[in-house]
Amino acid sequence: MPSSRPESARESHRSTTSTSRASSIHKDGGSNSRMPPSRLRQSHQASISPGSHDDQNSRSQNMSPQDSPRTHAADHDGTGISTPNMDDASTTRDFAVTNIVASMDEPSRHQLNERTKLLENYSHGPHCRNEHCDHGTFSPRPPTHASVASFEGKYSFGGRHDGAGESSSNTNETFGEAVRNRLFGQGTNRMSTTQYLARTHGISNPRAMYLGYYFPFVNWIRQYKWAYLKGDIIAALTMASFYIPMSLSYASNLGHIPPINGLYSFVVNPLIYAFLGTCPQMVVGPEAAGSLLVGSVVQNSIDIGHSGDEDDMMNARIAGVVTGMAGAVIFIAGLTRLGYLDSVLSRPFLRGFISAIGFVILVDQLIPEMGLSGRAKLVGGVVHGSSIDKLVFLIENVGYAHKLTCGVAFGSFAIIMVCRELKKRLQPRYPSVAYVPDRFLVVVLSAIFTWKFEWDKQGLQILGQVQSSTGSPFPFHWPFLPSHMKHVRQAMSTSFLIALLGFFESSVAAKALGGGEGKRGDGLQGMSLSANRELVALGVANLVGGCFMALPAFGGYGRSKVNASTGGRTPMSSIVLSLITIICVLFLLPYFYYLPKPVLSAMISVVAYSLIEECPHDIKFFFKIRGWPELSLMFLIFAATVFYSLTVGVALGMGLSILLVIKHATKPRIQILGKVPGTDDRFENAEDNPQGLEFIEGCLIVKIPEPLTFANTGDLKNRLRRLELYGTTTAHPALPRVRAVEHNQNIIFDVHGVTSVDGSGTQVLSEIVESYVGRGVRVFFCRTPRKAVLQLFEKSGIVDACGGQRHFVKSVEKALELTEAEETSDWFGGHPDAVFTAESNIRALQALDDEPVMYFTLARRGGSFASSDFGSEVANLTYLEEELGRVEARFNLTKREVKGNKLVRKAKSTGVGGNEVRKLMGEVAVKGRWFARMNIGDPPQDIEVDLDMLTSDFYVLSTTSKRGSKYHDLFSQSNVKSNAQPFPKCGLPSDKFLLPTINITVPLSFAHCSPSKSSVETLGPSGSTLGLAPSQNLKQIDSPSFFAQLLDERIIARPIFSILMINGQEGVLSIGGTTAKAVELVIAQTEAELDRVGTLEGDSTVSSKFGNDALQKRGHEHDVEADSLRSDWHDGWKWSKVQGAEGWWQILMQGVYVDGDKVLKNQPVVIDISTPFILAPPLAAKAFYASISGSLRLTSSPFYIFPCLNPPAISFEFDGWQFPAMHGGKGADWYGMPGGRFSLGRLQEGSGYCVGAVVSTGMGVGDEGSSDDAQGGLAGNGMRDVWVLGEGWFRGVNGVFDFEHQKVGFRTY
């Protein structure tokens, strides 16, 4: 396995990094792998598909997300690079470690021409770890987010601590972590996630952290500034002028309690909320709906004889009981974390009920506004009757209306409404109009006019003396005395509704106002909104308010909006409002004496109008979308409240809402899936578009998109039965069967949305599976989302009933393949005399293998590039430079172009003056190239196939020369010619290929090229090239690729290949899988040989060379390694996404380590097995060797030298792991060339210096000055600052390359 991180990193992140690595590997392992379309099972389309279907997945892959400030790049110091002092080794290394950084920031046009800015530009931007970063190519794509460890750095990504085990704690779900730890004593032996994160990030006082969270006053008072005070005072004065008269109206006209009890709601509740509330700008106070509900309880108590109309003290105590109970309900809900309850009541219920309350208030206030209060008391059933009764009374007695009262009431109403409308129109242009206290002026002027003109003596009712019923300005009375239990039982349901409505309105206001940070971040910081803490704050405020017999008080959006618009920015405005109200209670009550009651009623009528005015908009909206159920619910609640009473409306509305919630929760939302035409792995809901999807014969694909609980599994069997009978859940069960039985022989459950299953759901699902299996139906599960769900399936017997783990696959297409394989196996098992003549049957049998993989033996033409057998070998610098020139010429055969919204690589054309000559980039039979052997034709012809990771074509070249391995199409009886010409001088025949390991012969198409006899190329060698580049943009030949044909023929299951170098001249290529099994075989053979040698105890040569202890240790290591390799192909690999200009296997190397020190980071690299070096850009190579003590650069040469006796330990970092590369020769176990694999040979005979395998390359330097610069800086191959990891990298490192997911994986062996 890959090596661990440096020691310092291991000490600080040992537990978390190992967990993070394991989780990342598991995530990769859970990815869906692409499976080819079946040739045996046919898909059928209900009718002609509409048009063509765009591949949305490919479009989304071509789009890059926007840059984010959250993209992290570690250790940005913003410094550039200057020339280090090469004479001082320690200074040089310090310079390299601290200054060589490579976090890419796209250079400007001016910087493109400055080669020395390469690594300097890297140090300025956080764009280096993203998926499409293209160093040196200046790709126009925006970069993606970085990928770093969860807990690295001071400001990390955070994440759950795996050791917490919090998911299983019910007390944590109910009461929260802090309460669980302190109250229940849990979590003392196991560190919670919060404790871990606090300790990791240096929070030394968690109690202060919790105090600031649960007691927000501690948080915001420390941030308070004198600049806030002016706005808070102005906002408080404005609200007092509006809402203090309103509170008097609510208490006297709606609550039927003394007016002063309305003021108590502004004395107590805002003050407490300022200390406990989480929304700084929200102001709590009494509301019309809550006051009316309190009045209904008071009136009901009067009706049953528990109180009287004139018994102000008892009525006030009843109001205190209702307020206290509402506070208790909402406080307990906060402690038990029921903040989600604001979503229980539907929007139609709330709109219907609130509109009904507005209508009830309007009708109720018409009686005092018309001066008919005294007459209403004389007529039985009016005061405590329904709104319809009161409307009938008003119509019959309109002639008895008091003219002065009507004039004052309706005049006040008109003035307030006109001012309200003027403010609404003028405020966008003149914000200061919000400060005009229109309602306060109406109240003051009406009181002055009443006193001046003695309207009270002319029949106008006034407020009179306002005082406490006990004589004390702030009387305290505990609302839950035993003598009040009769009121408690009576007010229980009403208090619950008050709490629910109040919290809902408060929640809406808090979400609209936010945490008070301000648009420019100049407000209070860290005031995070929390529904549960809001419940606690409102609950405590109303509990205390109930002790003072106040009306229920909650946050109102209108009142809070006034506070915010008039300058209130902190909870200090609520405190000032409470102080102003206290001053009113203590000193200003006598001035309320002449306040006309009709004016207070008019102000309440304005509020009632505001409750109704939004109803037409909602009715219009639901009518527009044909929301008949919502409209019906609104009408029923409105009618019940208006025609009967608030109690009936509340009961009906809550009952219907709960029924709707239950109906929604118990209805299983299963779907039948169909395949999107023209795709292999896209399946959609067939009920949404039955005519545009294809149905798979013999299979019923069912998607369960939600967790399975006792609630939604009750009807699951019936729903599945409808899918079996009709192919839809919407058909009536009276319909006879319309779906053929044979189409239900395989049931595939897509359970990706089943993130959890309870016991009842598991039992029902187990019964369903057993029922299917008992009927002979095969059952498959795909995309199981969580390990816990799969474990529950295993414990319940579902896995065994289905047929074992084999029936749990990663994708729907994999499940379809498995159904074909099992059907084929069953058929051949029942027909032993069948003759296997059809190739489709052979391929079907091959599909029974879980992962068919082909293995090719690799060899390097011409032997090892640099021998490690002789320590005295001298490096031939001339030869090395020639090889370097050939490598650079290969990379220069491509150019970059913008295609759509991405940057791609394409082959260059040669020639000038418009006479361009197309030439294939790949070469055949090249000395030093890695190749495999393939048998083509009948009889088989042995062809050497060169591997080329820079091209995409697969072709065979036959020349007239006798060099190389020639394919003779005339000698092959299985050759099938075609008239296609995929490339000049190339045909497109097909012939049989004998595939190794799996021993299958399959016909494949390939380009067969023969140069013209007059061409010089005909004198070259024959051979073949297999292009392994990941992009089709590099294809020059119009022919199907080698991998695509293998997928279509179902020879391989995955479009991947893997490369393993055993030594400098032998290796293994696997296609369709990794070389892990091959490595396991080699290890087993090595272990057997070592065991045999170990028995030769008398052999002194063996003992002296290895030693018995070394043999035992090595054999044990092989056992461990072999066990680790027996796993799924994703496990154990460290993955990197392909990035940069599309075309090559270019990934991001996160770090370069020399002797444990990280000297470079975030370097783009291209993987190429045909490159015999490790190539580095000039400045990166310079910085790399600067960290190796004693290293020097040869004059006018791209090569560096280092002391042979001090070879460095080199590691390259990918996906957070360090892979040892080019091992040095330290220690007694080192044998071979001085400098180990890092050496290309000695500088000269007897020299103490060796030539380093990391070579400086000038590829791409000067590209920006070429004639193609008009393309926007895209000239050249874009290799100006890109590394190349050649064959030396693969010695000790196994690589796997995934075409479908465009990623590269590494592991060590």
Side-chain angles (χ1 to χ4, degrees):
M1 295 297 293
S3 65
S4 60
R5 299 184 176 197
E7 191 61 27
S8 60
R10 288 200 300 269
E11 291 176 356
S12 60
H13 297 296
R14 181 168 291 136
S15 62
T16 50
T17 17
S18 61
T19 304
S20 175
R21 291 167 186 162
S23 62
S24 67
I25 294 173
H26 175 73
K27 182 180 291 186
D28 275 337
S31 303
N32 292 334
S33 301
R34 178 184 179 274
M35 297 298 296
S38 170
R39 296 297 180 88
L40 301 180
R41 187 179 304 288
Q42 298 297 320
S43 61
H44 297 274
Q45 197 168 354
S47 65
I48 298 177
S49 300
S52 62
H53 295 264
D54 294 332
D55 190 350
Q56 297 178 0
N57 288 338
S58 64
R59 287 202 305 266
S60 63
Q61 290 174 1
N62 292 336
M63 297 175 62
S64 300
Q66 296 298 322
D67 192 11
S68 170
R70 294 184 296 273
T71 304
H72 285 242
D75 305 331
H76 289 187
D77 57 6
T79 59
I81 290 183
S82 57
T83 304
N85 184 0
M86 301 300 293
D87 297 331
D88 189 342
S90 62
T91 304
T92 301
R93 174 164 302 193
D94 291 341
F95 167 84
V97 172
T98 57
N99 289 335
I100 307 301
V101 294
S103 293
M104 179 178 175
D105 192 7
E106 299 291 354
S108 64
R109 297 282 299 170
H110 176 68
Q111 290 173 324
L112 289 179
N113 297 321
E114 298 179 13
R115 178 69 182 112
T116 56
K117 294 286 187 179
L118 174 62
L119 295 183
E120 179 181 7
N121 291 336
Y122 279 7
S123 65
H124 295 301
H127 311 299
C128 206
R129 297 186 185 179
N130 57 66
E131 179 179 351
H132 300 287
C133 180
D134 192 5
H135 297 261
T137 62
F138 313 122
S139 169
R141 294 193 191 109
T144 60
H145 301 301
S147 174
V148 297
S150 295
F151 299 100
E152 290 181 355
K154 180 180 179 181
Y155 297 102
S156 67
F157 287 103
R160 181 180 180 273
H161 178 43
D162 281 355
E166 298 159 33
S167 59
S168 60
S169 175
N170 292 329
T171 55
N172 186 50
E173 292 292 330
T174 306
F175 297 100
E177 183 179 299
V179 178
R180 180 200 68 182
N181 292 342
R182 303 301 180 190
L183 185 60
F184 294 94
Q186 299 182 12
T188 55
N189 297 327
R190 183 184 296 174
M191 184 180 295
S192 68
T193 294
T194 304
Q195 292 171 336
Y196 174 78
L197 291 175
R199 181 176 299 181
T200 303
H201 292 76
I203 300 176
S204 59
N205 191 355
R207 292 187 177 181
M209 175 185 71
Y210 284 122
L211 179 64
Y213 182 81
Y214 290 107
F215 194 61
F217 174 79
V218 177
N219 188 358
W220 68 261
I221 196 64
R222 290 180 296 180
Q223 305 180 49
Y224 197 81
K225 305 175 183 177
W226 286 108
Y228 299 157
L229 186 59
K230 177 182 177 181
D232 290 336
I233 292 177
I234 293 175
L237 289 172
T238 306
M239 288 187 294
S241 66
F242 288 170
Y243 295 105
I244 285 180
M246 294 291 293
S247 64
L248 299 173
S249 304
Y250 289 152
S252 61
N253 290 9
L254 298 182
H256 302 290
I257 59 176
I260 194 173
N261 291 86
L263 293 178
Y264 293 155
S265 299
F266 277 124
V267 170
V268 177
N269 298 65
L271 187 63
I272 295 178
Y273 183 83
F275 284 85
L276 300 177
T278 62
C279 183
Q281 292 178 305
M282 190 166 74
V283 180
V284 299
E287 295 292 337
S291 302
L292 184 64
L293 290 171
V294 171
S296 68
V297 175
V298 173
Q299 287 183 344
N300 193 30
S301 297
I302 294 174
D303 291 342
I304 62 178
H306 291 166
S307 180
D309 279 330
E310 307 301 330
D311 192 351
D312 290 343
M313 180 177 292
M314 180 54 66
N315 293 341
R317 290 179 177 178
I318 294 173
V321 170
V322 175
T323 302
M325 288 180 59
V329 168
I330 207 166
F331 178 72
I332 294 173
L335 290 182
T336 53
R337 302 170 68 83
L338 300 180
Y340 58 85
L341 283 178
D342 65 330
S343 303
V344 171
L345 299 181
S346 64
R347 180 69 177 267
F349 165 76
L350 292 168
R351 179 52 57 206
F353 185 70
I354 291 175
S355 299
I357 286 179
F359 183 82
V360 170
I361 292 174
L362 275 178
V363 175
D364 282 355
Q365 298 310 304
L366 283 175
I367 295 178
E369 287 173 351
M370 297 174 66
L372 298 175
S373 299
R375 191 171 184 83
K377 293 178 181 179
L378 300 177
V379 179
V382 175
V383 176
H384 305 296
S386 67
S387 296
I388 298 301
D389 296 332
K390 294 175 182 178
L391 275 177
V392 172
F393 168 78
L394 288 170
I395 294 173
E396 292 177 349
N397 295 273
V398 67
Y400 297 98
H402 189 263
K403 295 181 180 179
L404 178 59
T405 301
C406 290
V408 172
F410 296 139
S412 301
F413 180 83
I415 293 173
I416 295 174
M417 289 298 295
V418 169
C419 292
R420 180 174 178 264
E421 188 64 24
L422 286 175
K423 280 187 174 183
K424 186 185 299 185
R425 295 175 181 270
L426 294 176
Q427 194 165 355
R429 296 183 59 187
Y430 307 102
S432 59
V433 299
Y435 296 93
V436 178
D438 52 323
R439 302 184 191 186
F440 179 73
L441 292 176
V442 169
V443 170
V444 171
L445 291 177
S446 63
I448 293 174
F449 290 159
T450 303
W451 166 72
K452 181 67 175 178
F453 300 109
E454 297 181 347
W455 285 347
D456 56 319
K457 297 179 180 179
Q458 301 177 33
L460 182 68
Q461 290 188 345
I462 59 175
L463 196 59
Q465 187 175 3
V466 179
Q467 62 181 7
S468 172
S469 56
T470 61
S472 172
F474 301 105
F476 183 89
H477 183 79
W478 180 247
F480 303 115
L481 295 175
S483 59
H484 293 166
M485 286 301 104
K486 55 185 178 182
H487 304 304
V488 170
R489 289 190 297 270
Q490 177 188 350
M492 181 66 72
S493 60
T494 305
S495 298
F496 179 78
L497 181 62
I498 291 173
L500 203 57
L501 288 176
F503 173 61
F504 178 82
E505 186 172 3
S506 300
S507 177
V508 171
K511 292 174 183 177
L513 294 168
E517 295 88 353
K519 294 183 179 180
R520 296 181 299 274
D522 53 354
L524 299 179
Q525 305 299 316
M527 296 288 289
S528 59
L529 297 177
S530 168
N532 296 314
R533 287 185 292 151
E534 282 292 294
L535 285 170
V536 171
L538 295 172
V540 172
N542 282 285
L543 276 172
V544 178
C547 296
F548 290 94
M549 297 170 285
L551 289 173
F554 295 93
Y557 178 71
R559 180 171 50 249
S560 302
K561 193 67 176 176
V562 170
N563 176 44
S565 63
T566 55
R569 300 170 67 179
T570 72
M572 186 63 72
S573 60
S574 295
I575 296 177
V576 176
L577 177 61
S578 295
L579 294 177
I580 293 174
T581 310
I582 292 174
I583 294 174
C584 290
V585 172
L586 294 176
F587 305 108
L588 302 180
L589 290 182
Y591 296 98
F592 296 156
Y593 183 87
Y594 286 101
L595 195 61
K597 285 186 176 181
V599 174
L600 299 180
S601 297
M603 296 177 67
I604 293 177
S605 296
V606 173
V607 176
Y609 174 82
S610 66
L611 297 179
I612 298 175
E613 66 178 346
E614 293 184 11
C615 186
H617 175 269
D618 286 357
I619 293 176
K620 180 180 178 181
F621 175 80
F622 288 122
F623 184 82
K624 180 180 179 181
I625 65 171
R626 300 298 187 265
W628 310 126
E630 289 80 7
L631 289 172
S632 301
L633 182 61
M634 290 176 61
F635 175 77
L636 285 175
I637 296 172
F638 184 87
T641 305
V642 171
F643 284 92
Y644 292 95
S645 65
L646 286 173
T647 305
V648 175
V650 168
L652 179 64
M654 295 189 65
L656 291 175
S657 294
I658 292 174
L659 287 176
L660 290 175
V661 170
I662 294 174
K663 178 183 178 182
H664 180 78
T666 57
K667 181 180 179 181
R669 280 166 284 278
I670 60 176
Q671 305 169 1
I672 181 173
L673 299 183
K675 186 166 74 71
V676 177
T679 65
D680 301 330
D681 55 357
R682 287 186 58 195
F683 298 84
E684 295 181 357
N685 187 0
E687 298 191 52
D688 291 340
N689 185 18
Q691 307 302 323
L693 298 176
E694 297 176 350
F695 295 89
I696 310 300
E697 66 177 25
C699 294
L700 175 63
I701 308 174
V702 179
K703 180 179 181 180
I704 306 178
E706 60 185 350
L708 293 178
T709 65
F710 72 95
N712 61 2
T713 52
D715 197 37
L716 186 59
K717 293 181 180 179
N718 294 332
R719 295 278 173 174
L720 286 172
R721 184 64 177 167
R722 290 192 187 186
L723 289 181
E724 294 179 53
L725 296 175
Y726 317 118
T728 176
T729 59
T730 58
H732 195 278
L735 184 72
R737 174 188 286 273
V738 297
R739 181 181 170 90
V741 178
E742 55 267 21
H743 292 327
N744 300 327
Q745 292 304 307
N746 299 280
I747 306 294
I748 300 174
F749 288 106
D750 182 353
V751 292
H752 186 65
V754 185
T755 54
S756 63
V757 188
D758 65 4
S760 300
T762 306
Q763 186 177 23
V764 171
L765 190 60
S766 176
E767 294 172 356
I768 292 173
V769 171
E770 291 174 358
S771 174
Y772 281 136
V773 174
R775 288 154 46 192
V777 177
R778 302 181 190 88
V779 181
F780 303 86
F781 287 84
C782 64
R783 302 206 304 163
T784 307
R786 297 182 60 188
K787 187 177 181 181
V789 175
L790 185 59
Q791 289 176 346
L792 198 58
F793 285 174
E794 291 176 345
K795 294 178 181 178
S796 63
I798 293 177
V799 175
D800 294 335
C802 291
Q805 288 280 0
R806 192 163 181 267
H807 280 224
F808 285 75
V809 295
K810 298 176 181 178
S811 61
V812 175
E813 54 269 29
K814 182 68 174 178
L816 290 174
E817 177 194 7
L818 199 55
T819 63
E820 297 174 1
E822 294 199 358
E823 285 184 357
T824 305
S825 178
D826 293 345
W827 188 87
F828 285 118
H831 300 78
D833 298 330
V835 179
F836 303 103
T837 57
E839 292 184 3
S840 60
N841 290 338
I842 296 175
R843 291 195 298 272
L845 289 175
Q846 178 61 41
L848 294 176
D849 292 336
D850 185 31
E851 297 296 344
V853 181
M854 294 178 292
Y855 297 101
F856 295 84
T857 300
L858 294 181
R860 192 178 191 278
R861 192 176 288 110
S864 295
F865 176 72
S867 174
S868 59
D869 298 331
F870 305 99
S872 60
E873 181 175 349
V874 177
N876 186 338
L877 294 179
T878 302
Y879 168 72
L880 293 178
E881 290 186 359
E882 290 175 354
E883 286 294 311
L884 178 61
R886 294 189 186 98
V887 170
E888 293 178 342
R890 288 180 60 237
F891 281 90
N892 287 327
L893 291 175
T894 64
K895 62 180 179 179
R896 294 176 300 158
E897 292 182 1
V898 176
K899 182 178 180 181
N901 64 341
K902 61 182 179 180
L903 194 63
V904 301
R905 298 185 186 274
K906 288 189 176 182
K908 287 182 180 180
S909 299
T910 60
V912 295
N915 298 317
E916 294 185 341
V917 179
R918 297 179 62 192
K919 181 180 178 181
L920 290 172
M921 290 192 299
E923 298 177 276
V924 300
V926 178
K927 183 179 180 181
R929 186 70 56 84
W930 287 89
F931 69 95
R933 293 185 179 274
M934 286 189 185
N935 290 324
I936 308 176
D938 184 15
Q941 302 179 41
D942 187 25
I943 304 298
E944 293 181 359
V945 181
D946 290 22
L947 305 185
D948 195 335
M949 302 181 72
L950 304 185
T951 63
S952 300
D953 293 313
F954 172 49
Y955 68 92
V956 176
L957 179 66
S958 297
T959 66
T960 58
S961 71
K962 296 182 179 180
R963 292 188 296 153
S965 57
K966 186 174 181 178
Y967 168 73
H968 299 274
D969 53 351
L970 297 177
F971 296 164
S972 176
Q973 299 178 9
S974 55
N975 179 276
V976 179
K977 299 184 182 297
S978 70
N979 296 325
Q981 188 180 17
F983 195 84
K985 305 300 180 182
C986 297
L988 189 61
S990 65
D991 209 340
K992 289 184 177 180
F993 283 68
L994 178 60
L995 303 178
T997 312
I998 57 178
N999 296 321
I1000 291 179
T1001 300
V1002 60
L1004 299 177
S1005 299
F1006 58 95
H1008 185 204
C1009 303
S1010 300
S1012 60
K1013 296 181 180 180
S1014 60
S1015 173
V1016 178
E1017 295 176 0
T1018 194
L1019 301 178
S1022 300
S1024 178
T1025 290
L1026 175 59
L1028 299 176
S1031 174
Q1032 297 301 308
N1033 290 298
L1034 285 172
K1035 283 184 66 66
Q1036 297 174 275
I1037 300 175
D1038 186 16
S1039 63
S1041 68
F1042 182 74
F1043 280 85
Q1045 294 184 78
L1046 294 179
L1047 286 170
D1048 290 340
E1049 294 295 332
R1050 304 188 61 76
I1051 302 302
I1052 61 174
R1054 298 187 179 95
I1056 64 174
F1057 71 94
S1058 180
I1059 294 177
L1060 168 70
M1061 295 291 110
I1062 299 175
N1063 51 47
Q1065 55 189 1
E1066 296 174 294
V1068 177
L1069 167 69
S1070 67
I1071 294 180
T1074 70
T1075 54
K1077 293 182 180 179
V1079 173
E1080 184 177 345
L1081 179 63
V1082 171
I1083 289 175
Q1085 293 174 346
T1086 304
E1087 181 180 355
E1089 181 67 15
L1090 289 174
D1091 291 340
R1092 184 188 67 78
V1093 175
T1095 60
L1096 304 176
E1097 297 180 357
D1099 191 338
S1100 59
T1101 60
V1102 173
S1103 299
S1104 61
K1105 185 175 182 180
F1106 295 100
N1108 291 333
D1109 293 339
L1111 284 174
Q1112 295 174 2
K1113 178 181 178 182
R1114 191 173 178 185
H1116 174 71
E1117 292 175 350
H1118 286 318
D1119 287 338
V1120 174
E1121 187 67 10
D1123 290 339
S1124 68
L1125 292 174
R1126 298 185 183 99
S1127 59
D1128 189 78
W1129 76 284
H1130 271 90
D1131 295 339
W1133 299 89
K1134 307 307 293 181
W1135 295 96
S1136 300
K1137 292 289 291 183
V1138 174
Q1139 58 178 244
E1142 183 178 302
W1144 294 336
W1145 295 104
Q1146 179 174 327
I1147 59 177
L1148 182 67
M1149 179 168 61
Q1150 296 172 326
V1152 177
Y1153 292 81
V1154 177
D1155 292 333
D1157 294 330
K1158 189 173 186 178
V1159 298
L1160 288 166
K1161 61 181 179 180
N1162 297 340
Q1163 301 288 309
V1165 297
V1166 171
I1167 312 298
D1168 178 37
I1169 190 179
S1170 299
T1171 298
F1173 309 96
I1174 304 295
L1175 301 183
L1179 290 186
K1182 184 177 182 180
F1184 173 82
Y1185 281 100
S1187 62
I1188 301 175
S1189 179
S1191 62
L1192 298 171
R1193 180 173 181 175
L1194 297 177
T1195 305
S1196 302
S1197 173
F1199 297 96
Y1200 286 76
I1201 58 175
F1202 65 97
C1204 297
L1205 297 180
N1206 187 30
I1210 309 299
S1211 297
F1212 295 156
E1213 182 183 359
F1214 294 93
D1215 195 21
W1217 283 78
Q1218 297 177 31
F1219 292 82
M1222 304 172 295
H1223 294 288
K1226 295 181 178 179
D1229 294 333
W1230 168 63
Y1231 299 95
M1233 173 173 289
R1237 300 176 192 163
F1238 184 60
S1239 172
L1240 297 177
R1242 288 186 182 273
L1243 179 63
Q1244 56 188 9
E1245 189 70 27
S1247 171
Y1249 282 90
C1250 290
V1251 180
V1254 174
V1255 180
S1256 175
T1257 175
M1259 283 191 298
V1261 177
D1263 278 348
E1264 66 277 4
S1266 68
S1267 60
D1268 292 333
D1269 198 45
Q1271 298 182 26
L1274 302 181
N1277 56 13
M1279 295 294 294
R1280 195 170 75 107
D1281 50 333
V1282 180
W1283 289 56
V1284 178
L1285 296 187
E1287 68 171 67
W1289 162 249
F1290 289 92
R1291 300 181 191 176
V1293 176
N1294 191 187
V1296 61
F1297 302 82
D1298 188 341
F1299 286 93
E1300 180 184 7
H1301 300 100
Q1302 293 285 290
K1303 59 182 181 179
V1304 178
F1306 295 123
R1307 71 187 300 175
T1308 57
Y1309 63 90

